[in-house]
């Protein structure tokens, strides 16, 4: 192990241009980071904060998957009209005890970077109970593929793009787009016959805010082929490879577009999140699971006044989730915890 560590340090020093023998400078994430990883069949929790890392054991992966499946069952029930909040809360409580019982004291406020092992899928960390309330009531969680340092400075962009995907069977999409057009005067709109694959790809490169609403199809077998259906044809995650979205914020108001369990080459977020971050997008707001049409509309009506007022996505998303949790019609965790924010690096204001 020591030989391997020395070899790794030599390699890192050469990559960073450091002189051998000099102290290797470590860079921690800008914000506290809560991470969960699987090791030898067990889940390990880690908290990196103030230049220190504390780890604890959360139990066997198999047991945690059972608790996760129990919660996902409640999410599926909600999709088809179920309103059993007590059972969903009970499943979340079991997950919270397993994951956070051995954790050190968590921060009391501010942004929290979250890194999840693919085995945990789209676990809603903000919904986990801590000191009698969901984490989202005290922190502003955002997700990252790795606990890396700050992202590169984003290029500032102007203008908004609204795209209506294939809307059949989703009456709230039309209302959502009409609302956003009033909220974002001057935004370019593509929908219906105008929203062709070529037109959407061409328009993406010039927008600072991109909103896509409608159906989505996740491909667990081939995540890069996860797709958004257009009126004619499909827009897949792999289609984005040549698009320049540097500095843009992308909102995917479509089902399961932010599910980290879609693994590609053993890495999480193998679908749209990984593709969009690779194009240079500064952040992505997407759904963890299948979302009801009316729920997605309620989310966007709550999110955008906050997002446009401050343009700090993790703050806006957290505030929206808190407000939706207080409303009777969206008080089920499957509703108010449905969307998440994914960044390539530490959070920064626009």
């Amino acid at each position: 192990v020591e030989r391997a560590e020395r070899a790794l340090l030599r390699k890192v020093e050469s990559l960073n241009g450091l002189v051998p023998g000099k102290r290797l400078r470590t860079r921690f994430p800008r914000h506290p980071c809560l991470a969960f990883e699987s090791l030898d069949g067990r889940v390990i929790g880690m908290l990196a904060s103030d230049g220190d890392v504390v780890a604890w054991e959360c139990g066997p992966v198999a047991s945690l998957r059972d608790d996760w499946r129990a919660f996902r069952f409640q999410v599926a029930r909600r999709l088809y009209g179920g309103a059993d909040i007590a059972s969903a809360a009970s499943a979340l409580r079991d997950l919270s005890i397993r994951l956070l019982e051995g954790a050190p004291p968590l921060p009391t406020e501010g942004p929290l970077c979250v890194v999840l092992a693919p085995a945990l899928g789209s676990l809603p960390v903000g919904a986990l109970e801590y000191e009698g309330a969901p984490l989202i009531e005290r922190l502003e969680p955002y997700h990252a593929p790795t606990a890396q340092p700050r992202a590169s400075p984003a290029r500032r962009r102007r203008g908004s793009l609204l795209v209506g995907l294939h809307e059949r069977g989703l009456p709230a999409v039309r209302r959502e787009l009409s609302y956003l057009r009033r909220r974002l005067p001057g935004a370019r709109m593509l929908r219906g016959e105008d929203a062709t694959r070529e037109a959407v790809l061409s328009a993406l490169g010039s927008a600072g805010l991109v909103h896509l609403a409608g159906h989505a199809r996740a491909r667990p077998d081939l995540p890069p082929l996860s797709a958004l259906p257009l009126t004619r044809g499909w827009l897949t995650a792999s289609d984005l490879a040549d698009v320049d979205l540097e500095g843009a914020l992308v909102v995917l108001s479509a089902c399961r577009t932010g599910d980290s369990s879609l693994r590609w080459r053993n890495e999480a977020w193998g679908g749209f999140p990984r593709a969009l971050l690779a194009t240079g997008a500064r952040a992505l707001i997407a759904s963890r699971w299948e979302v009801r049409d009316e729920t997605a509309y309620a989310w966007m009506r709550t999110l955008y006044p906050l997002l446009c007022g401050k343009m700090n996505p993790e703050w806006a998303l957290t505030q929206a989730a808190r407000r939706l949790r207080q409303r009777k019609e969206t008080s089920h965790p499957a509703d108010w915890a449905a969307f998440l924010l994914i960044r390539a690096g530490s959070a920064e204001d626009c």
Side-chain angles (χ1 to χ4, degrees):
V1 170
E2 290 177 351
R3 285 197 302 272
E5 287 178 341
R6 286 195 296 270
L8 178 60
L9 285 173
R10 286 195 297 271
K11 182 66 174 177
V12 173
E13 287 170 351
S14 67
L15 290 174
N16 286 279
L18 300 177
V19 179
K22 291 290 185 71
R23 183 179 178 86
L24 187 66
R25 187 167 58 187
T26 303
R27 295 189 297 172
F28 274 75
R30 181 184 177 195
H31 298 130
C33 179
L34 179 64
F36 295 98
E37 187 54 271
S38 56
L39 179 66
D40 294 333
R42 306 189 75 79
V43 176
I44 305 298
M46 291 165 281
L47 178 66
S49 181
D50 296 326
D52 195 14
V53 178
V54 179
W56 64 97
E57 188 175 327
C58 305
V61 172
S63 298
L64 200 139
R65 280 178 177 159
D66 289 341
D67 292 338
W68 173 232
R69 278 193 287 264
F71 176 72
R72 282 306 301 262
F73 175 70
Q74 299 303 325
V75 171
R77 287 185 65 195
R78 179 58 177 159
L79 183 64
Y80 295 102
D84 188 356
I85 296 177
S87 295
S90 176
L92 277 173
R93 197 171 301 115
D94 291 341
L95 283 166
S96 304
I97 292 171
R98 192 176 294 278
L99 290 171
L100 298 178
E101 190 173 46
L106 298 182
T108 57
E109 61 181 0
L112 176 71
C113 178
V114 175
V115 179
L116 289 178
L120 298 182
S122 50
L123 178 76
V125 171
L128 296 179
E129 189 173 303
Y130 184 74
E131 296 184 347
L135 274 177
I136 207 166
E137 292 295 337
R138 59 188 284 162
L139 295 165
E140 299 167 10
Y142 65 93
H143 291 252
T146 59
Q148 57 188 322
R150 294 171 58 181
S152 300
R155 187 177 74 195
R156 293 189 178 274
R157 291 166 166 255
R158 296 187 180 276
S160 303
L161 173 66
L162 306 176
V163 179
L165 307 172
H166 191 48
E167 303 170 22
R168 184 177 300 170
L170 299 177
V173 169
R174 183 178 297 274
R175 286 181 286 150
E176 180 179 315
L177 292 172
S178 297
Y179 167 77
L180 291 177
R181 192 160 201 177
R182 295 192 301 271
R183 189 83 215 182
L184 302 168
R188 181 180 180 184
M189 173 86 82
L190 292 175
R191 63 187 306 178
E193 294 295 326
D194 294 331
T196 63
R197 178 176 173 276
E198 292 74 18
V200 173
L201 288 173
S202 175
L204 284 175
S206 59
L209 173 63
V210 178
H211 183 96
L212 299 100
H215 286 291
R217 179 172 296 176
R219 286 287 304 272
D221 57 332
L222 283 173
L225 296 185
S226 295
L228 304 170
L230 304 172
T231 301
R232 288 182 295 174
W234 298 79
L235 179 67
T236 69
S238 59
D239 288 332
L240 301 172
D242 297 324
V243 176
D244 177 13
L245 279 168
E246 184 182 352
L249 171 65
V250 182
V251 180
L252 288 177
S253 181
C255 290
R256 208 180 167 189
T257 45
D259 186 350
S260 66
S261 67
L262 299 182
R263 299 166 65 174
W264 179 242
R265 295 178 179 174
N266 208 36
E267 294 184 347
W269 283 306
F272 280 99
R274 189 164 294 278
L276 287 165
L277 293 178
T279 67
R282 69 184 178 97
L284 165 71
I285 293 175
S287 60
R288 289 184 166 92
W289 43 63
E290 294 83 0
V291 184
R292 296 185 308 151
D293 190 27
E294 288 293 336
T295 298
Y297 178 46
W299 250 102
M300 298 308 143
R301 282 189 65 93
T302 307
L303 174 66
Y304 268 87
L306 300 164
L307 192 62
C308 296
K310 191 170 182 178
M311 281 304 287
N312 183 329
E314 65 277 357
W315 177 88
L317 191 86
T318 300
Q319 293 296 324
R322 291 174 182 173
R323 295 182 185 188
L324 289 165
R325 181 171 173 261
Q326 299 302 320
R327 299 175 190 169
K328 182 178 180 180
E329 63 272 19
T330 52
S331 58
H332 195 289
D335 295 339
W336 65 262
F339 284 84
L340 76 162
L341 175 75
I342 308 167
R343 284 187 176 275
S346 294
E348 299 205 27
D349 292 348
C350 176

